C-alpha cells in the first residue's frame, strides 16, 4: 500500500452534519476498498488566496481539512472521481507521500504522525 495525504477545501457555510458526512463518506471510500485512514485533521475556515469558481458560484472562503491514509492507486482514482463531482468540495489534492517503508517513516516524521 502507498501512503497518501488528501488536502480538501469544502464550502464554508455547510451544516455541521453535512461536513461530517463529507468526511465520513471520503473515509469510507478508502476503508471499504481495504485502505486505512491514519489521521483526520481539521484546519478550519480560512480565507482563500484567490476566489474559486465552483458549481456556478464564486467562493472566497473555504473549510480546509487533511486526511492521511494508506491505499492502492485505484482507490485514489475513485476518490478523485467522487470528490470532483461532489458539490460540497471546492478543491482537493491527493499527494503521494511514499510507497516504501523508509519513505513512509520519513514522511511520518515530517507530518508528525506515528507509524
Amino acid at each position: 500500500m502507498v501512503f497518501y495525504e488528501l488536502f480538501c477545501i469544502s464550502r464554508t457555510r455547510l451544516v455541521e452534519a453535512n461536513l461530517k458526512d463529507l468526511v465520513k463518506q471520503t473515509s469510507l471510500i478508502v476503508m471499504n476498498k481495504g485502505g486505512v485512514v491514519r489521521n483526520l485533521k481539521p484546519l478550519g475556515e480560512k480565507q482563500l488566496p484567490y476566489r474559486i469558481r465552483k458549481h456556478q458560484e464564486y467562493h472566497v472562503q473555504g473549510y480546509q481539512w487533511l486526511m492521511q491514509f494508506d491505499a492502492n492507486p485505484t482507490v485514489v482514482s475513485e476518490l478523485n472521481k467522487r470528490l470532483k463531482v461532489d458539490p460540497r468540495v471546492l478543491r482537493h489534492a491527493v499527494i503521494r507521500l511514499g510507497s516504501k517503508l523508509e519513505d513512509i517513516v520519513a514522511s511520518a516524521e515530517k507530518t508528525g504522525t506515528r507509524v
Side-chain angles (χ1 to χ4, degrees):
M1 284 210 228
V2 183
F3 184 37
Y4 293 100
E5 183 172 73
L6 167 70
F7 175 73
C8 189
I9 303 173
S10 58
R11 293 174 176 249
T12 53
R13 289 181 228 115
L14 287 176
V15 178
E16 186 177 341
N18 223 349
L19 182 61
K20 284 182 180 180
D21 183 58
L22 172 63
V23 174
K24 181 181 176 182
Q25 292 301 319
T26 305
S27 299
L28 285 175
I29 291 170
V30 173
M31 292 188 296
N32 288 340
K33 300 289 184 178
V36 177
V37 176
R38 290 185 185 206
N39 190 14
L40 289 167
K41 184 176 180 182
L43 301 175
E45 191 172 308
K46 297 188 179 182
Q47 184 80 19
L48 299 174
Y50 55 90
R51 67 182 187 163
I52 295 175
R53 184 168 186 216
K54 187 73 173 199
H55 306 293
Q56 300 173 348
E57 286 182 48
Y58 285 101
H59 302 272
V60 292
Q61 288 191 323
Y63 188 84
Q64 301 176 1
W65 53 279
L66 289 171
M67 180 174 83
Q68 294 175 336
F69 62 98
D70 293 297
N72 60 34
T74 57
V75 173
V76 174
S77 73
E78 182 178 336
L79 187 64
N80 279 329
K81 287 178 190 173
R82 296 251 184 115
L83 291 175
K84 190 175 183 178
V85 297
D86 195 319
R88 300 171 291 191
V89 175
L90 301 178
R91 291 280 192 273
H92 73 281
V94 179
I95 303 162
R96 180 178 165 202
L97 296 177
S99 58
K100 294 185 245 170
L101 183 60
E102 298 84 29
D103 296 339
I104 294 170
V105 171
S107 295
E109 290 171 358
K110 289 178 189 173
T111 59
T113 59
R114 295 182 186 167
V115 179

